[in-house]
Amino acid sequence: MARTETDRCPGVLAVHQAADGGLARVRLPGGWLSAQQLEVLRIAAAELGDGRLELTSRANVQIRGLDARGPRELSDRLFAAGLLPSIAHERVRNILASPLSGLDEQSRYDVLPVAAALDRALCARPGLAELPGRFLFALDDGRGDLADVQADVAVRALDDRSAVLSLGSRGARVSWTEVPELMLAAAEAFLSVRDQEWRIAELADGEERILKRLGLTADKPLNTSTTRVTAGAHGQALVVTVPLGSLTQDQAAALAAAGAGVRITPWRSVVVPVGAAGLEEVGLVTAADSVWEGVTACAGKPGCAKALADVRADASRLMPTFNRDGQRVHWSGCERRCGKPAGGFVDVVAVSDGYLVDGERV
Ligand code: SF4
């Protein structure tokens, strides 16, 4: 499928102009942020943006409401903080890693160091700066929490020696020592065969053609079961849900004070050391039975010019109405459904005179 649109994925240098000002997206490979880096982002949001840090479905962070001087000043601060290691690659550092990797007993292999190594190797290859901003790498520590993120190139641990490398539904057994090189080789193979496509799944026979170029045979049946990670204690870690994925200044400061660093998850939550204190007091959620658990929303009004409703205000008011049986719920201000979660969810979409819930008017 050849695309005709331009890839407008925002970054720090390619800021998107939204209705409420500039929107910058900061890529965080593996979702990792040191406490100091989180403070840099928090202060930048206060001084250059609207004060909030938005968490995305790819475990990145966005700052909204930047004025004209904001993007330049923000990029200078991020560069100094080590959050902009390559100008050329800033929009292509899309690397998800299981956020609880190495922290609880479900982890078969600690994939966070692999994510860091993959990021360094990616930034060292000039040609890979040409990847589309939507191209996604995923490293699953074996628990299956990233099984439904629809990565272009995914790796799932079998044990501490081997993993399954998969492109879509096709997978081959590989050893961990060859994983970063194979993932980047798959990305390079994609670039060499694509036309205007953004994702491997958009290429005709893309998975098969790329696996062949890598010299791999897809013979390993894929385990497609998905494990959901909810708020609460998991081994040495505490998963903290951020209501509607939008961190206030107080919340960001409390998370930065919780330990040496945090891991942002793709589910609008943050991983901190178990025993971290002072989080509920600022409105963060540390237990899975909260009505905020699994509820997400796009920007909506007034941030997005396309929005038909202030979905965040409506979600806060009406949330328990749609939070059926603990399913994920996503509120969208229009049918584009930005930021929707991977996998199944209750679909709440604004229309001109109200909302549709899973296609039915309410
Ligand atoms: S889903 Fe629609 S209203 Fe919401 S952010 Fe995307 S374009 Fe805007």
Side-chain angles (χ1 to χ4, degrees):
M1 180 183 74
R3 287 186 178 272
T4 52
E5 317 108 277
T6 310
D7 175 11
R8 293 204 183 89
C9 252
V12 173
L13 303 165
V15 168
H16 170 68
Q17 286 305 319
D20 56 350
L23 182 158
R25 182 175 300 161
V26 185
R27 263 64 177 192
L28 305 175
W32 169 254
L33 267 177
S34 70
Q36 186 189 22
Q37 290 171 330
L38 178 53
E39 274 295 275
V40 168
L41 288 175
R42 181 185 70 78
I43 294 166
E47 294 180 353
L48 308 173
D50 68 2
R52 289 180 170 259
L53 293 175
E54 279 187 356
L55 312 186
T56 78
S57 60
R58 288 185 165 194
N60 295 318
V61 168
Q62 293 182 163
I63 296 178
R64 308 187 69 95
L66 295 168
D67 63 19
R69 79 191 163 98
R72 177 61 196 264
E73 175 67 23
L74 177 64
S75 59
D76 286 350
R77 294 186 190 193
L78 297 186
F79 182 78
L83 287 166
L84 204 49
S86 168
I87 301 291
H89 295 78
E90 71 117 346
R91 293 189 322 131
V92 305
R93 300 169 64 227
N94 298 306
I95 302 172
L96 284 176
S98 296
L100 291 173
S101 194
L103 298 175
D104 71 354
E105 60 192 19
Q106 284 193 58
S107 179
R108 293 184 191 163
Y109 190 69
D110 186 355
V111 293
L112 211 63
V114 186
L118 181 64
D119 181 38
R120 285 192 298 274
L122 172 71
C123 291
R125 297 196 188 188
L128 288 177
E130 300 303 317
L131 281 171
R134 287 169 174 73
F135 194 90
L136 180 64
F137 301 95
L139 290 154
D140 189 316
D141 70 355
R143 79 185 66 220
D145 56 341
L146 302 184
D148 60 2
V149 298
Q150 295 169 347
D152 291 272
V153 186
V155 168
R156 182 161 172 177
L158 294 171
D159 51 39
D160 60 0
R161 291 184 306 281
S162 61
V164 175
L165 182 144
S166 60
L167 310 177
S169 59
R170 305 172 67 82
R173 188 173 186 131
V174 298
S175 76
W176 278 111
T177 53
E178 56 188 348
V179 159
E181 176 57 36
L182 282 172
M183 293 181 90
L184 296 184
E188 287 172 335
F190 166 71
L191 286 178
S192 71
V193 298
R194 79 158 187 155
D195 182 11
Q196 298 296 315
E197 294 84 358
W198 291 339
R199 310 291 307 267
I200 288 179
E202 296 170 3
L203 283 172
D205 302 322
E207 299 158 5
E208 201 172 298
R209 287 156 68 193
I210 292 171
L211 281 171
K212 195 170 169 192
R213 281 180 173 240
L214 299 183
L216 296 175
T217 306
D219 57 359
K220 184 80 189 157
L222 284 185
N223 182 347
T224 54
S225 59
T226 306
T227 302
R228 186 167 165 186
V229 175
T230 54
H234 299 257
Q236 306 164 41
L238 178 66
V239 176
V240 181
T241 292
V242 178
L244 297 181
S246 179
L247 280 171
T248 65
Q249 285 285 304
D250 286 349
Q251 290 168 347
L255 291 170
V262 300
R263 299 180 189 186
I264 309 296
T265 81
W267 314 290
R268 273 74 164 198
S269 54
V270 179
V271 179
V272 296
V274 76
L279 302 177
E280 292 91 348
E281 288 86 333
V282 291
L284 293 167
V285 175
T286 59
D289 58 1
S290 165
V291 291
W292 291 107
E293 183 70 19
V295 180
T296 52
C298 76
K301 280 184 177 177
C304 178
K306 292 192 172 68
L308 298 170
D310 184 346
V311 285
R312 290 171 169 269
D314 290 341
S316 302
R317 217 163 29 89
L318 300 168
M319 210 163 38
T321 312
F322 303 121
N323 203 350
R324 299 170 183 160
D325 307 325
Q327 286 185 72
R328 286 185 177 138
V329 182
H330 186 68
W331 291 69
S332 305
C334 79
E335 61 185 17
R336 288 184 67 176
R337 298 176 174 80
C338 298
K340 68 183 179 187
F345 60 94
V346 178
D347 180 34
V348 186
V349 181
V351 289
S352 57
D353 55 350
Y355 282 94
L356 298 180
V357 178
D358 287 339
E360 292 182 16
R361 189 167 296 275
V362 294

